[in-house]
Amino acid sequence: MEEFEEVEELFSEGQPVDGVYLLVHGEVALEISASGISPQHVLTVVAGESLGWSALLGRRRRTATAKATQPTRVARINGEELLELCQENPRLGCEIMRQTAAALADRLNAMRLQFLGVYRLQPAGFTCGPEEIGVD
């Protein structure tokens, strides 16, 4: 187990990937950087969720910065060892990859909503009921 204080970084964007993190207690903000602007908050990860999934996908560098937003405890698992375990136990591997896919989907949706917010657009199909669009 590893513990982090508020605003302490678990890892930084661009760092080499070293493992997957399971959030046991606390909250972690994921941020991305771009040239000329301050880091942008993408998503908040809470207890029971994972982060650092790049280690399971063969990526060599972190794609975001992870900062504790309150006192936080995580279990860090070596990515290579976890992949070996998944290969040895396909049922476990399938479940871990399913959870990873769900985390990716959540992050993709968060990015989509942020993109729409930047351009002050409304997500199609999510903001109005049948009475508002003339459906019988």
Side-chain angles (χ1 to χ4, degrees):
M1 290 288 185
E2 296 179 36
E3 296 193 10
F4 296 87
E5 296 300 320
E6 185 175 348
V7 306
E8 191 175 356
E9 287 186 3
L10 283 71
F11 54 80
S12 296
E13 186 173 1
Q15 276 184 335
V17 171
D18 62 348
V20 177
Y21 294 78
L22 303 176
L23 194 55
V24 176
H25 174 78
E27 269 185 3
V28 174
L30 295 179
E31 300 176 343
I32 58 172
S33 299
S35 179
I37 62 170
S38 61
Q40 298 295 302
H41 180 266
V42 177
L43 187 73
T44 299
V45 181
V46 297
E49 297 181 329
S50 63
L51 63 153
W53 45 260
S54 295
L56 297 177
L57 303 175
R59 297 194 177 245
R60 303 216 186 282
R61 301 272 172 196
R62 296 283 180 200
T63 58
T65 296
K67 286 185 186 176
T69 60
Q70 58 184 257
T72 297
R73 186 177 314 126
V74 299
R76 185 168 59 87
I77 303 168
N78 180 288
E80 289 178 10
E81 291 175 10
L82 184 56
L83 282 174
E84 286 177 26
L85 185 60
C86 289
Q87 290 174 346
E88 293 169 7
N89 185 334
R91 289 180 75 116
L92 173 66
C94 184
E95 181 59 24
I96 288 172
M97 290 304 171
R98 190 183 71 73
Q99 293 290 330
T100 300
L104 285 170
D106 289 345
R107 284 156 181 78
L108 182 59
N109 192 49
M111 294 294 294
R112 175 182 165 271
L113 294 174
Q114 276 193 322
F115 173 80
L116 292 171
V118 165
Y119 293 103
R120 295 187 171 96
L121 302 172
Q122 294 296 318
F126 297 108
T127 59
C128 54
E131 66 282 354
E132 295 172 287
I133 58 174
V135 174
D136 294 322

